[in-house]
Amino acid sequence: LCSFIHSPKGFPKLKNDTFLRAARGEETEHTPVWCMRQAGRYLPEFRETRAAQDFFATCRSPKLCCELTLQPLRRFPLDAAIIFSDILVVPQALGMEVVMVPGKGPTFTEPLKEVEDLLKLRQKVDVTAELGYVFQAITLTRHSLEGRVPLIGFSGAPWTLMSYMIEGGGSTTMSKAKSWLYRHPEASHRLLRLLADVVTDYLVGQVAAGAQALQLFESHAGHLGPEQFQDFALPYIRDIAQAVKSKLKEEALPLVPMIIFAKDAHYALRDLAHAGYEVVGLDWTIRPQEARAQVGKDVTLQGNLDPCALYAPKEKIGELVKKMLEGFGTQRYIANLGHGLYPDMNPEHVGAFVEAVHAHSRHINKH
């Protein structure tokens, strides 16, 4: 597995900074590309590495996280790596138990049912004590990448984390979590504030450990309407960007680009563009031109090929990528899928997607 050099600050020099340049709005020779869930079950080597391991035990092993993060980069010329972890490590840090149930997914043994249950959560979280294993994985992976591409750190956003903590797992309606927003608005804000504070410290810790960019996943934005998003999601998304940036400055850490990905939140794109993030990630349900018109010229867009397009024949994937690049333009843009890769996808089709982005964007830039 990965070899470790003991000197967190002596990181290897970055050789391919295309992703970071695009995130900051600088010119790039080709459009950078990475995939959400690029370290995942669609790779046979991932399934082998993970075979005998409990999912969260894997998350707590810096060595395994490093290995899983590097696997897709051995296969594909991706322009960024994203650390292998899970958004639910944050509720774990607050003292909740989460287990991975085969065929069902992440499950909380005791979800939050009543407002009183908030008292069971740790009110002050020492992120180094609780989530130090993620920081170690980041440092180890940053060295092991040998400067090939930048490493992205991430966290779930407060509303998405809250919804899991109340639902106790995945849900098609999020009705239990949403009922809190309507019945217990004050308690909801208390919980969201607590989560925002932990997420802030967690993201700052990731940069200190070596992350070169950060993505905040508001994966359950689509369950909220515009008003609830304004009240219960957007203020915390804004606060996190602001607090992370001011803490990075205070601690003399690099000001890394930040990405907000709020799935199905087209109604909030204008607000998200002004929320303090350099990059706004898009799911596949919006036209590139429409997104650009809403966010303006000052942020970079990321996305948004329908993940299921990767089931198409390779030539068709190439055509869809070309159309996507024509829609977004090749600058101030990071190519990605509109959500994560699915476990039954063919790795060769992932390769076709990555190569098509590079080839078509270079061609467009030349002409």
Side-chain angles (χ1 to χ4, degrees), residues 55-60 65 83-96 98 106 108 122 125 127 130-135 154-156 161 164-165 195 198-199 202 206:
F55 178 80
F56 286 107
T58 305
C59 290
R60 285 189 288 273
C65 290
I83 194 67
F84 176 82
S85 186
D86 194 87
I87 64 171
L88 298 181
V89 299
V90 171
Q92 288 177 334
L94 288 165
M96 295 187 82
V98 193
F108 286 73
R122 281 192 189 105
V125 175
V127 291
E130 300 300 330
L131 296 165
Y133 59 87
V134 179
F135 303 156
F154 70 90
S155 174
L161 295 173
Y164 272 114
M165 290 159 76
L195 285 163
V198 177
V199 167
Y202 180 41
Q206 292 185 46

Side-chain angles (χ1 to χ4, degrees), residues 80-282:
I82 183 165
I83 194 67
F84 176 82
S85 186
D86 194 87
I87 64 171
L88 298 181
V89 299
V90 171
Q92 288 177 334
L94 288 165
M96 295 187 82
E97 192 187 359
V98 193
V99 292
M100 195 57 84
V101 177
K104 189 184 170 199
T107 306
F108 286 73
T109 49
E110 289 180 48
L112 304 174
K113 290 197 171 75
E114 305 302 329
V115 170
E116 298 76 59
D117 293 342
L118 294 180
L119 299 171
K120 297 179 191 167
L121 299 174
R122 281 192 189 105
Q123 300 305 305
K124 276 271 169 266
V125 175
D126 174 345
V127 291
T128 309
E130 300 300 330
L131 296 165
Y133 59 87
V134 179
F135 303 156
Q136 289 168 9
I138 286 172
T139 302
L140 176 55
T141 306
R142 173 88 186 264
H143 282 296
S144 304
L145 276 165
E146 295 173 335
R148 211 174 337 166
V149 293
L151 179 61
I152 304 168
F154 70 90
S155 174
W159 154 249
T160 294
L161 295 173
M162 170 184 170
S163 62
Y164 272 114
M165 290 159 76
I166 294 170
E167 295 289 341
S171 156
T172 50
T173 59
M174 295 294 158
S175 57
K176 288 179 191 152
K178 285 180 74 176
S179 82
W180 272 55
L181 304 182
Y182 286 107
R183 287 175 23 234
H184 313 302
E186 280 172 31
S188 295
H189 280 300
R190 274 210 313 277
L191 174 54
L192 291 162
R193 178 80 271 149
L194 173 63
L195 285 163
D197 292 345
V198 177
V199 167
T200 297
D201 290 345
Y202 180 41
L203 290 173
V204 171
Q206 292 185 46
V207 176
Q212 291 152 290
L214 297 169
Q215 178 153 312
L216 190 67
F217 283 87
E218 190 70 281
S219 312
H220 296 167
H223 291 280
L224 301 176
E227 282 177 23
Q228 283 191 318
F229 189 84
Q230 283 287 341
D231 288 350
F232 297 103
L234 188 64
Y236 300 99
I237 288 170
R238 277 198 191 116
D239 286 358
I240 287 167
Q242 210 177 343
V244 166
K245 290 185 154 100
S246 72
K247 285 195 173 189
L248 290 175
K249 272 190 190 137
E250 271 166 41
E251 296 178 28
L253 289 164
L255 280 175
V256 303
M258 294 179 72
I259 307 165
I260 176 66
F261 175 64
K263 190 171 178 295
D264 295 322
H266 326 128
Y267 54 78
L269 275 183
R270 273 196 177 81
D271 291 324
L272 290 167
H274 297 107
Y277 293 77
E278 287 69 28
V279 183
V280 173
L282 304 168

Side-chain angles (χ1 to χ4, degrees), residues 314 317-319 321-322 325 351-361:
K314 288 188 204 168
I317 294 171
E319 286 164 33
V321 165
K322 182 169 180 272
L325 284 161
F353 167 66
V354 173
E355 278 154 29
V357 170
H358 287 161
H360 287 298
S361 62

Side-chain angles (χ1 to χ4, degrees), residues 37-105:
R37 297 210 189 115
Q38 65 190 25
R41 288 172 296 172
Y42 72 101
L43 291 176
E45 57 269 36
F46 177 96
R47 293 195 295 272
E48 267 165 48
T49 309
R50 275 265 299 108
Q53 293 283 334
D54 165 71
F55 178 80
F56 286 107
T58 305
C59 290
R60 285 189 288 273
S61 161
K63 239 176 161 175
L64 285 174
C65 290
C66 173
E67 168 60 21
L68 294 170
T69 303
L70 294 182
Q71 284 177 352
L73 291 147
R74 296 189 188 119
R75 277 186 184 250
F76 316 118
L78 294 153
D79 293 289
I82 183 165
I83 194 67
F84 176 82
S85 186
D86 194 87
I87 64 171
L88 298 181
V89 299
V90 171
Q92 288 177 334
L94 288 165
M96 295 187 82
E97 192 187 359
V98 193
V99 292
M100 195 57 84
V101 177
K104 189 184 170 199

